[in-house]
């Protein structure tokens, strides 16, 4: 926690230095925008291929081919989901929430993309619908679908409370990925990564700038929809925090299942437009060291 009483005196020009206007770190006007109009045409009359229920306090994996869509749907009651994404044939290429946050901001909505880590750095998925986009930012500075929080995990839980709790999203994601791949929990743990907090309502306090959560505004029927830019393996955990209105990392919150719906386009709009998965990043990877 930052001290409210600094140890060092402010310099004479402190106010002037603090008054400098911010500059956006990564102006996205240079970023190739997602071809949303094409995706909207492609999803007209798309058909449901499969529907998967993710039980409360558990995670499940799912596969979505490039060019298809999927939705994460709130079914029985307000519930937050922790989403991991990998390129299906190469688990080393996985969602990079930190760079996604640097590019698109703390909370994601329609048109924002979920980027993979280095050296790939390309869109894994693009958000094509968000029934909670009306929420925007509230009076506390909170928004929905954040890429701030990491995922609830048993290590931090132990650090803070000395508990052994096994249904944090981190562990749920490990179990589901181990089951999918046949690898052990030790082999698979490093492949589980920071998440998109689907339906979670979060922000930073105005005074201390601490990360906070509040009860999600999500209701049954709400969904977040994605276009798969590459062949995807996904894992979704129905967080033990439920709507994350009080606490997580325990069995005390009311939790509900979530549903993942996989949709296939029924028209040839993508083919007609010559759509292909994005290429991996073009940096030559020499890092100033020659070949
Ligand atoms: Zn969680």
């Amino acid at each position: 926690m930052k001290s409210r009483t600094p140890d060092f005196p402010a310099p004479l020009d402190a106010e002037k230095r603090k008054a400098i206007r911010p500059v956006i770190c990564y102006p996205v006007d240079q970023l190739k925008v997602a071809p949303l109009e094409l995706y909207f045409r492609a999803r007209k009359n798309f058909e449901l291929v499969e529907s998967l229920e993710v039980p409360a306090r558990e995670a499940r994996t799912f596969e979505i081919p490039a060019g298809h869509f999927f939705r994460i749907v709130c079914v029985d009651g307000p519930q937050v989901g922790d989403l991991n994404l990998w390129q299906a044939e190469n688990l080393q290429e996985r969602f990079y929430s930190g760079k996604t946050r640097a590019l698109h901001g703390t909370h994601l909505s329609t048109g924002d993309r979920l980027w993979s880590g280095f050296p790939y750095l390309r869109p894994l998925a693009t958000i094509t619908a968000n029934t909670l986009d009306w929420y925007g930012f509230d009076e506390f500075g909170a928004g929905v679908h954040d890429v701030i929080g990491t995922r609830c995990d048993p290590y931090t839980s132990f650090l803070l409370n000395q508990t052994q709790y096994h249904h944090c999203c981190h562990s749920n994601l490990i179990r589901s990925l181990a089951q999918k791949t046949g690898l052990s929990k030790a082999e698979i743990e490093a492949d589980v990564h920071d998440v998109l907090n689907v339906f979670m309502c979060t922000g930073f306090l105005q005074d201390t700038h601490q990360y906070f959560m509040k009860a999600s505004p999500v209701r049954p029927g709400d969904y977040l929809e994605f276009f798969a830019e590459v062949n995807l393996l996904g894992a979704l955990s129905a967080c033990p925090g439920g709507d994350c209105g009080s606490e997580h990392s325990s069995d005390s919150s009311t939790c509900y299942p979530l549903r993942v719906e996989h949709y296939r386009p029924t028209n040839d709009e993508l083919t007609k437009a010559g759509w292909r998965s994005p290429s991996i990043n073009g940096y030559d990877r020499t890092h100033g060291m020659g070949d």
Side-chain angles (χ1 to χ4, degrees), residues 26-286:
Y26 296 102
V28 278
D29 9 313
Q30 294 143 354
L31 202 62
K32 198 163 161 262
V33 292
L36 278 182
E37 290 303 321
L38 171 63
Y39 299 165
F40 293 160
R41 290 202 305 278
R43 76 170 178 192
K44 266 191 193 156
N45 306 316
F46 61 8
E47 64 183 16
L48 183 67
V49 179
E50 197 179 5
S51 190
L52 169 76
E53 184 174 299
V54 180
R57 294 190 175 86
E58 291 291 346
R60 292 289 184 269
T61 58
F62 54 94
E63 288 187 79
I64 310 291
H68 288 205
F69 295 79
F70 68 100
R71 287 179 177 176
I72 296 174
V73 187
C74 172
V75 278
D76 291 338
Q79 174 65 43
V80 162
D82 285 47
L83 178 68
N84 266 194
L85 290 178
W86 299 266
Q87 200 279 330
E89 292 86 25
N90 171 22
L91 298 196
Q92 295 299 306
E93 184 176 7
R94 58 181 76 115
F95 173 51
Y96 184 2
S97 81
K99 191 58 77 181
T100 299
R101 176 173 68 245
L103 289 167
H104 296 304
T106 52
H107 298 77
L108 304 187
S109 193
T110 306
D112 291 334
R113 309 183 106 171
L114 281 72
W115 296 81
S116 59
F118 308 148
Y120 313 98
L121 197 63
R122 63 171 165 172
L124 292 176
T126 299
I127 296 177
T128 47
N130 168 21
T131 64
L132 292 171
D133 67 353
W134 55 267
Y135 195 88
F137 288 97
D138 64 28
E139 62 177 303
F140 305 100
V144 186
H145 311 305
D146 85 65
V147 276
I148 314 168
T150 49
R151 71 266 189 191
C152 60
D153 71 273
Y155 301 100
T156 310
S157 186
F158 182 83
L159 193 69
L160 299 175
N161 306 308
Q162 289 72 55
T163 53
Q164 300 285 349
Y165 183 67
H166 307 301
H167 286 263
C168 283
C169 290
H170 178 74
S171 303
N172 297 347
L173 293 166
I174 287 174
R175 288 195 309 278
S176 67
L177 191 61
Q179 188 174 19
K180 171 71 181 173
T181 60
L183 296 168
S184 71
K185 54 186 182 294
E187 289 171 307
I188 220 71
E189 182 162 13
D191 290 316
V192 170
H193 50 275
D194 283 350
V195 299
L196 167 62
N197 280 306
V198 179
F199 304 139
M200 194 169 181
C201 189
T202 58
F204 293 103
L205 293 179
Q206 303 285 335
D207 49 359
T208 62
H209 291 253
Q210 280 172 290
Y211 181 46
F212 73 81
M213 60 188 192
K214 54 180 282 190
S216 172
V218 71
R219 296 294 179 267
D222 278 320
Y223 60 86
L224 188 62
E225 182 188 278
F226 305 81
F227 174 78
E229 300 279 357
V230 301
N231 291 334
L232 286 175
L233 171 64
L236 180 71
S237 168
C239 182
D243 71 356
C244 288
S246 54
E247 63 174 271
H248 52 73
S249 307
S250 75
D251 279 339
S252 64
S253 298
T254 305
C255 288
Y256 299 95
L258 288 167
R259 194 166 63 224
V260 179
E261 295 175 346
H262 167 193
Y263 290 91
R264 173 172 51 211
T266 55
N267 59 42
D268 59 354
E269 291 289 339
L270 292 170
T271 314
K272 273 196 304 187
W275 180 86
R276 306 174 74 158
S277 287
S279 305
I280 63 167
N281 194 268
Y283 174 60
D284 67 13
R285 301 189 68 191
T286 52

